[in-house]
């Protein structure tokens, strides 16, 4: 068997041989297929449904089998046995850390959690009802002005410092955005606590000397953070890579990722799920709602995925975590509606034929709500852990000699070469 593709251009009768590598052909190889004097053949792929934009060794997904692995380790094992910072290290460095490496990484992250006081004032400047994702996006972008040295992206030590800063400061920024919306004083990081315990303290501490969250809630948040840490070339990662390909600093690239994640078809789906469940209101309304979805009136949020054509493995783990959280907080009454929706959808021809299964966002919102987060905070809880994945992908992009500035082609469909018409004659 030869690893190549034979193509006959029926317009010219010419034959071409194109190499196949890793199940792909290079789009640039198609350029040679051309009519005389015309540009060569290109591919048309809105939404990149069948185009690989990079080679990556970070996250593996088999969507048909419902498999997700970070650096080769199954997500189920990582969720069961590791911590978020351990997973972040794995994503960023390619290997699980030794005890010393993990202790060093944890120490560094813990000691970069504070924000410049001016940044606190910057967050204070937002309106009382500003969406926390808007605040997060703007404040991450603002960080680039505090660390102008971050532009030195070719220096590995400098990259490492900015990565540490970003991973460390994201929970602080997210918590400040939350407290701002609540009209509560911002809580500074507590360096005695773990990454997730400190985040919970910055969110919920009031007048107590020390805020110690319930261990079960800390563990549940740790699992949620692990599940959200990376997901290969999704919309926001593609945004980070695309903006990063201009060689801008990592804060600006991550801010672009936050913007992409904000959208309801991506990370904003968990917020949309909660709002949908509230709107449905009671279990007896589920059938009517599903009929509306099938009639194309709206989408069943938290269902369907570009890659998974099976149960999203993250949804399975989250469903289990629901039990642990609800043991502490009491059962979220919306759970019944969610379970009924899932049951009906999984038996319905519309969903079966389109291979629509619950995704990561279907149950995560229920946990977040049980933890007393307002829906606007849900996507922030996605962005914080995804930062390690974005940065691992950003770093991989910079190391990849194949990569260039992202610049897709277009098929031009507009008018050509028209004479300007003076305004009074239009
Ligand atoms: N409810 C009802 N119908 C759906 C849904 C849904 N949630 N998702 C897809 N479909 C239908 C869609 O209308 C289309 O039907 P038809 O073939 O009759 O036109 C078919 O299924 C294929 O869908 P698609 O829109 O071509 O699929 P896509 O790969 O472009 O979109 C998706 C993937 C995730 C954007 C989409 O499934 C969706 O909008 N889901 C709801 C939003 C959501 O839960 N997003 C979170 C994704 S997971 C976490 C993350 O990435 O942030």
């Amino acid at each position: 068997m030869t690893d190549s593709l034979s193509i006959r251009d029926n317009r010219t009768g010419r034959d071409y041989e194109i190499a196949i590598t890793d199940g792909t052909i290079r789009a640039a190889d198609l350029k040679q297929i051309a009519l005389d004097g015309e540009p060569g053949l290109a591919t048309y792929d809105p939404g990149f449904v069948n185009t690989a934009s990079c080679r990556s060794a970070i996250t593996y997904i088999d969507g048909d089998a419902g498999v997700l692995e970070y650096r080769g380790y199954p997500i189920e094992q990582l969720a069961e046995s590791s911590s978020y910072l351990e997973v972040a290290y794995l994503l960023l460095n390619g290997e699980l850390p030794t005890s010393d490496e993990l202790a060093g990484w944890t120490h560094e992250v813990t000691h970069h959690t504070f924000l410049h006081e001016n940044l606190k004032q910057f967050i204070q400047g937002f309106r009382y009802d500003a969406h926390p994702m808007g605040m997060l996006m703007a404040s991450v972008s603002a960080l680039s002005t505090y660390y102008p040295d971050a532009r030195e992206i070719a220096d590995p030590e400098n990259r490492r410092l900015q990565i540490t800063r970003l991973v460390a400061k994201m929970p602080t920024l997210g918590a400040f955005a939350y407290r701002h919306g609540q009209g509560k004083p911002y809580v500074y990081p507590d360096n005695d606590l773990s990454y997730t315990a400190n985040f919970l303290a910055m969110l919920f501490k009031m007048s107590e000397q020390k805020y110690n969250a319930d261990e079960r809630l800390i563990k549940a948040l740790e699992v949620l953070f692990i599940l959200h840490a990376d997901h290969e070339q999704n919309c926001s990662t593609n945004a980070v890579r695309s903006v990063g390909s201009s060689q801008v600093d990592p804060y600006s690239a991550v801010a672009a990722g936050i913007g992409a994640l904000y959208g309801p078809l991506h990370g904003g789906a968990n917020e949309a799920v909660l709002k949908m469940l509230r709107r449905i209101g009671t279990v007896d309304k589920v059938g009517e709602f599903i009929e509306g979805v099938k009639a194309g009136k709206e989408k069943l949020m938290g269902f369907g995925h570009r890659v998974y054509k099976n149960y999203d493995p993250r949804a399975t783990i989250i469903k289990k975590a629901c039990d642990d959280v609800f043991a502490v907080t009491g059962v979220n009454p919306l759970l019944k509606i969610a379970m009924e929706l899932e049951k009906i959808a999984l038996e319905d021809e519309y969903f079966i034929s389109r291979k629509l299964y619950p995704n990561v966002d279907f149950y995560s919102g229920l946990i977040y709500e049980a933890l007393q987060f307002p829906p606007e905070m849900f996507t922030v809880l996605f962005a914080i852990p995804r930062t390690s994945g974005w940065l691992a992908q950003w770093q991989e992009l910079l190391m990849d000699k194949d990569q260039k500035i992202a610049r897709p082609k277009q098929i031009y469909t507009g008018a050509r070469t028209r004479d300007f018409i003076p305004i009074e004659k239009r």
Side-chain angles (χ1 to χ4, degrees), residues 86-108:
E86 199 176 3
V87 166
Y89 185 100
L90 171 70
L91 289 169
L92 287 160
N93 300 289
E95 296 297 337
L96 285 167
T98 61
S99 306
D100 284 352
E101 285 165 342
L102 182 59
W105 165 237
T106 306
H107 179 86
E108 278 179 49

Side-chain angles (χ1 to χ4, degrees), residues 49 231 234 261 264-269 273 293 298-307 309 312 314 350-351 354 356 359-361 382:
V49 294
H231 213 231
N234 54 82
L261 191 71
L265 295 189
H266 190 10
V273 169
V293 170
E298 62 183 301
K299 278 188 170 166
L300 172 51
M301 299 310 283
F303 258 67
H305 200 276
R306 172 64 60 75
V307 182
K309 300 301 168 196
D312 179 339
R314 300 169 300 171
Y350 175 94
F351 296 89
R354 289 170 178 77
L356 299 172
N359 60 48
V360 68
D361 290 318
F382 192 153

Side-chain angles (χ1 to χ4, degrees), residues 179 187-188 190-219 221 328 371:
R179 302 283 292 204
V187 176
Y188 289 105
D190 180 342
N191 286 358
D192 293 340
L193 299 175
S194 73
Y195 192 78
T196 42
N198 172 49
F199 180 48
L200 288 169
M202 289 190 291
L203 290 164
F204 300 125
K205 185 171 180 296
M206 288 307 290
S207 59
E208 58 274 54
Q209 276 291 327
K210 189 113 193 142
Y211 183 90
N212 289 310
D214 188 302
E215 280 302 324
R216 290 167 294 180
L217 299 185
I218 296 172
K219 173 67 189 157
L221 194 61
V328 184
L371 294 173

Side-chain angles (χ1 to χ4, degrees), residues 2-36:
T2 322
D3 281 346
S4 70
L5 181 71
S6 301
I7 297 179
R8 162 156 296 186
D9 185 345
N10 292 322
R11 299 170 303 176
T12 58
R14 288 185 209 132
D15 292 318
Y16 302 86
E17 197 79 354
I18 293 191
I20 299 177
T21 314
D22 296 327
T24 61
I25 57 165
R26 282 190 172 253
D29 285 350
L30 297 174
K31 269 190 180 172
Q32 57 184 303
I33 306 176
L35 296 177
D36 293 333

